Amino acid sequence: MRKGISEVGVEDFVKAGLTIEEAKEFQRVLKEAVFGAKGSDPREVWRSLVAQRVLKPWHPHALHQLVYYSVYANWDSLTNGPPLYWFPSLDQSKHTNLGRLMEKYGSKLLETSYKDPITSFSHFQNFSVQHPEAYWSIVLKELSVSFHEAPKYILDTSNKSKHGGTWFPGSVLNIAECCLLPRTHPRKEDDSVAVVWRDEGCDDSNIHHMTLKELRERVMLVANALDAVFSKGDAIAIDMPMTINAVIIYLAIILAGFIVVSIADSFAAKEIATRLRVSKAKGIFTQDFILRGGRKFPLYSRVVEAAPYKAIVLPVIGNDVGIQLREQDLSWKEFLSGANHHPRSNNYIPVYQPVESVINILFSSGTTGEPKAIPWTQLSPIRCAADSWAHIDVQVGDVFCWPTNLGWVMGPILLYSCFLSGATLALYHGSPLGHGFGKFVQDAGVTILGTVPSIVKAWKNTECMKGLDWTRIKSFGSTGEASNVDDDLWLSSQSYYNPIIECCGGTELASSYIQGCPLQPQAFGTFSTASMTTGFVILDEHGIPYHDQACVGEVGLFPLYMGATERLLNADHDETSSVEIERVCDRADECILETAAISVAPVDGGPEQLFIFVVLKKGSSIEPDKLKILFSRTIQSNLNPLFKVNYVKIVPEFPRTASNKLLRRVLRDQMKHELSTWSKI
């Protein structure tokens, strides 16, 4: 039985890592904070402890654990919901983007029901779902979005074949230009710092800075060079880490009227080839190598193996590429020389296009058949920037860092969230797993730090961030995996328990449909609201929505979702493709009849784990561990070198419907039950 907060004492604090003198002083301060709480409600006790900063970022994590779990020792989560760790103050709320908007328009939109940003948030979110035109007409003015030709109106629902409606009909713009131009609101000036970065291994060097003007001129130089090599409308791939040059290339491709094809730098040659083929790319930007922990890993050679398309190759170090190029390929230096013929190489007239024009082709992970090619239009950047503005509270002056890649949806989301909100983009050219990344976060003055739960777990377990000061961080973001409460406790404690905004969405949505919000109390590893203008229901196994009750089921989104992709380039948007992993695994050994691949989140959080169920041919026999090795090898060589098979289970047959459809949910529920059982052993 865990002790309550009133029962812990000096001996417990010493066991948690304090000296006796420190423990005595901590006990005194703790008692004062507990006594000063408004009543004995654990939420009020924790609120008081956080407000008075009783727990410091440099205190041992064991002490943070002791206090947090002691405060909530007798908390009934089934009755009261998850324990809360962060509470917005009324004053804080009025200085958030959403709070400021609600204070200005709340009484007009919600009339007499409007009270304040905290009390009225849920009402306002519901209003945004029912009246998206009103919400978007206001939020557009808060972002750095300038139309070359203004929309006739916000939303046209007259075409019933378009379930999601037509957004901003008649409008014309170039979204890359919107990222690069100075503006009075949000305040962006030519000498504003647009990007900061540091290379791995240069921990003690100064942070590199690039102003908005410098970024714009660099992008325009690359745009001129693109015109010398490619034809308007060409799809051009980027397969390299998210460096300052990758960001410049991305914006230049869109500014010049081409289409970006996003490819993650972790993919094997076969996966690169698939994405180039599906997107019909005419060329690709890449690096000679990837540098991680002082080691070079080949990248250009994978691109060469993938396809014969023209490659423009950037050096990972210095000015010259460190590898022999094919005849049709260009070095970065040679490519840029193509702009020299232009009399004003640092100037460029943007290519303006209708708002529904495709600017970026992204891909699903590829775990469900051939990766789905998901086209982003110019609506998509507006959506993702608006959600970050509202839910993560990205403001002018913020420094926003999120270790990611332009090949995954979070890369473009981060880029647009910064440049359309007036924030500074922070990039670390290296691995985010070590002290070097953490020191960059400290030295760059990062105020918003995005994470993936498995990265946070690594930071906590290795103690690699010890001694660093992250107290300038006002909020964190988290996505990609299920979060672990204890890992999040550690993360939030690094900035005196500022909030971690959990985000869950998808590439096809260009955003998150459910997440946290700075106008609501937050609990570790949970979401607190549907995103602004988003409506959804939870469906049971028969497709019937639940109503106002705790439930487990599938999410059904309302169709009016601005920025969502309405089509796929290589598949029927309404059909689910066969599983590529299963196709690969089915061929791994002659004894296999069929396989079923599912992913399940671990009980204690972290990345979802890959489970393969196997039905063997009659009379065949093989050990699951041998299959696990075979499956891992074939998946890594044919699909993605980062994929890992966690568990293989041989079964006599698969559960199916009367029409022979595989019941994956039954297999997934079975594995969840087994994982839960194992965790208790």
Side-chain angles (χ1 to χ4, degrees):
M1 190 74 176
R2 186 180 291 275
K3 291 181 180 179
I5 192 62
S6 62
E7 299 170 306
V8 295
V10 171
E11 183 179 345
D12 300 298
F13 304 143
V14 170
K15 288 180 180 178
L18 299 184
T19 66
I20 291 179
E21 291 304 313
E22 289 171 337
K24 289 178 179 178
E25 175 61 16
F26 184 81
Q27 184 182 44
R28 183 189 66 79
V29 174
L30 179 66
K31 282 186 175 180
E32 287 181 0
V34 172
F35 181 77
K38 297 178 180 178
S40 60
D41 186 323
R43 292 168 294 194
E44 293 302 327
V45 173
W46 180 256
R47 187 203 292 256
S48 177
L49 297 180
V50 171
Q52 297 184 45
R53 295 193 166 184
V54 172
L55 289 163
K56 314 295 185 186
W58 53 87
H59 278 150
H61 181 56
L63 184 65
H64 289 269
Q65 291 174 305
L66 173 65
V67 173
Y68 174 77
Y69 293 118
S70 296
V71 167
Y72 284 107
N74 299 311
W75 184 259
D76 185 350
S77 295
L78 291 177
T79 302
N80 302 317
L84 303 174
Y85 72 95
W86 184 80
F87 308 84
S89 71
L90 189 57
D91 181 64
Q92 281 178 319
S93 74
K94 293 180 180 179
H95 288 88
T96 64
N97 289 327
L98 265 185
R100 181 169 43 80
L101 183 147
M102 290 174 67
E103 284 288 274
K104 185 174 181 179
Y105 298 100
S107 296
K108 177 182 178 182
L109 299 177
L110 305 183
E111 299 177 338
T112 57
S113 66
Y114 181 73
K115 305 300 181 187
D116 60 67
I118 296 175
T119 307
S120 303
F121 170 73
S122 293
H123 190 182
F124 186 62
Q125 196 280 333
N126 288 331
F127 174 89
S128 75
V129 175
Q130 296 164 8
H131 307 280
E133 304 98 320
Y135 178 81
W136 285 111
S137 67
I138 295 170
V139 171
L140 270 181
K141 299 171 186 174
E142 300 293 328
L143 300 175
S144 182
V145 176
S146 301
F147 291 102
H148 189 65
E149 295 179 23
K152 298 173 183 176
Y153 29 84
I154 299 296
L155 174 63
D156 178 8
T157 58
S158 61
N159 186 347
K160 300 306 178 184
S161 65
K162 295 192 70 173
H163 303 301
T166 301
W167 293 91
F168 313 138
S171 61
V172 174
L173 75 161
N174 185 296
I175 199 66
E177 181 191 44
C178 296
C179 293
L180 298 169
L181 290 180
R183 188 179 172 99
T184 55
H185 184 76
R187 181 175 52 79
K188 291 167 56 182
E189 299 173 348
D190 271 347
D191 60 356
S192 298
V193 177
V195 189
V196 295
W197 73 95
R198 177 184 277 166
D199 295 331
E200 183 179 87
C202 302
D203 297 355
D204 296 322
S205 65
N206 292 330
I207 298 289
H208 296 284
H209 298 79
M210 185 175 285
T211 66
L212 183 64
K213 182 181 179 182
E214 291 168 338
L215 176 64
R216 183 171 66 248
E217 291 180 347
R218 192 70 177 172
V219 168
M220 289 183 170
L221 172 67
V222 174
N224 280 308
L226 285 167
D227 280 349
V229 178
F230 297 101
S231 301
K232 290 300 183 189
D234 280 354
I236 306 169
I238 300 176
D239 184 2
M240 57 186 291
M242 192 170 176
T243 62
I244 178 62
N245 281 326
V247 169
I248 289 168
I249 293 165
Y250 181 97
L251 291 171
I253 291 173
I254 296 171
L255 188 77
F258 302 102
I259 299 171
V260 175
V261 178
S262 294
I263 301 178
D265 59 19
S266 60
F267 284 128
K270 182 178 178 182
E271 287 299 284
I272 297 172
T274 297
R275 286 157 175 77
L276 292 173
R277 172 180 55 79
V278 169
S279 65
K280 300 178 181 178
K282 303 300 183 184
I284 182 171
F285 284 87
T286 189
Q287 279 183 183
D288 49 4
F289 299 97
I290 296 173
L291 194 62
R292 289 288 185 272
R295 295 177 59 196
K296 286 183 177 179
F297 298 91
L299 180 55
Y300 172 70
S301 60
R302 277 188 270 143
V303 170
V304 169
E305 183 183 347
Y309 304 110
K310 179 183 289 294
I312 294 96
V313 187
L314 287 78
V316 68
I317 300 176
N319 296 317
D320 299 308
V321 294
I323 196 169
Q324 182 67 39
L325 302 185
R326 297 175 302 185
E327 184 176 348
Q328 72 264 37
D329 298 335
L330 295 172
S331 71
W332 180 237
K333 186 188 297 184
E334 291 170 327
F335 169 74
L336 292 179
S337 68
N340 292 337
H341 72 279
H342 198 283
R344 301 177 67 193
S345 60
N346 288 338
N347 285 273
Y348 193 89
I349 299 174
V351 175
Y352 298 105
Q353 301 185 86
V355 72
E356 66 271 14
S357 298
V358 174
I359 57 164
N360 193 177
I361 298 171
L362 296 106
F363 293 87
S364 64
S365 62
T367 58
T368 53
E370 183 172 82
K372 292 178 289 185
I374 302 167
W376 268 25
T377 70
Q378 298 194 89
L379 290 169
S380 307
I382 298 173
R383 176 73 200 210
C384 65
D387 275 4
S388 295
W389 177 91
H391 289 270
I392 302 180
D393 198 40
V394 182
Q395 298 191 10
V396 172
D398 276 324
V399 181
F400 193 179
C401 179
W402 200 314
T404 184
N405 187 277
L406 288 170
W408 301 116
V409 68
M410 201 57 234
I413 287 178
L414 174 64
L415 185 155
Y416 291 117
S417 296
C418 290
F419 296 149
L420 296 182
S421 298
T424 297
L425 171 63
L427 301 170
Y428 184 69
H429 296 176
S431 169
L433 296 177
H435 181 85
F437 174 80
K439 191 170 187 299
F440 168 70
V441 170
Q442 169 190 277
D443 296 349
V446 169
T447 59
I448 303 174
L449 177 61
T451 64
V452 175
S454 56
I455 293 179
V456 177
K457 186 180 290 291
W459 291 340
K460 187 197 77 172
N461 292 346
T462 61
E463 298 186 347
C464 63
M465 303 306 175
K466 199 169 185 178
L468 295 175
D469 182 358
W470 282 7
T471 56
R472 290 187 65 179
I473 297 174
K474 71 175 190 180
S475 66
F476 301 88
S478 181
T479 193
E481 302 162 359
S483 291
N484 173 273
V485 170
D486 196 64
D487 294 342
D488 278 359
L489 177 73
W490 175 86
L491 181 65
S492 182
S493 74
Q494 300 305 297
S495 66
Y496 287 107
Y497 288 99
N498 279 325
I500 302 170
I501 304 299
E502 295 282 348
C503 310
C504 180
T507 307
E508 289 154 272
L509 299 177
S511 62
S512 298
Y513 66 87
I514 185 170
Q515 47 195 324
C517 177
L519 299 182
Q520 296 175 301
Q522 298 298 308
F524 290 125
T526 64
F527 310 103
S528 60
T529 181
S531 62
M532 298 303 295
T533 73
T534 299
F536 65 80
V537 293
I538 307 295
L539 305 172
D540 65 16
E541 63 270 23
H542 304 294
I544 307 300
Y546 291 97
H547 294 286
D548 299 325
Q549 64 190 100
C551 58
V552 176
E554 300 289 339
V555 174
L557 293 176
F558 294 178
L560 285 181
Y561 197 105
M562 198 287 284
T565 298
E566 295 185 336
R567 64 189 178 94
L568 300 173
L569 300 185
N570 62 333
D572 186 333
H573 193 68
D574 297 320
E575 295 293 332
T576 302
S577 61
S578 61
V579 179
E580 184 69 16
I581 285 181
E582 294 168 359
R583 286 210 295 263
V584 170
C585 290
D586 285 349
R587 300 193 299 266
D589 193 275
E590 292 181 354
C591 70
I592 297 170
L593 179 64
E594 59 179 338
T595 60
I598 63 167
S599 60
V600 179
V603 175
D604 62 349
E608 291 195 339
Q609 298 181 341
L610 179 58
F611 295 81
I612 309 290
F613 286 81
V614 182
V615 176
L616 299 178
K617 293 177 181 176
K618 190 174 181 179
S620 297
S621 176
I622 190 171
E623 289 297 316
D625 285 347
K626 184 177 180 180
L627 284 176
K628 180 180 174 182
I629 295 171
L630 288 173
F631 290 158
S632 292
R633 285 176 180 170
T634 191
I635 290 171
Q636 289 168 3
S637 62
N638 289 284
L639 297 179
N640 190 322
L642 299 182
F643 280 11
K644 175 186 176 183
V645 177
N646 299 91
Y647 184 75
V648 171
K649 183 170 185 176
I650 297 174
V651 295
E653 61 181 0
F654 293 151
R656 297 184 182 277
T657 64
S659 60
N660 206 38
K661 181 180 178 182
L662 178 63
L663 289 170
R664 297 183 186 279
R665 184 182 297 176
V666 174
L667 295 176
R668 188 174 291 109
D669 290 345
Q670 179 182 333
M671 283 315 309
K672 286 181 178 178
H673 176 72
E674 292 192 22
L675 284 175
S676 178
T677 303
W678 295 343
S679 68
K680 297 173 183 177
I681 297 176

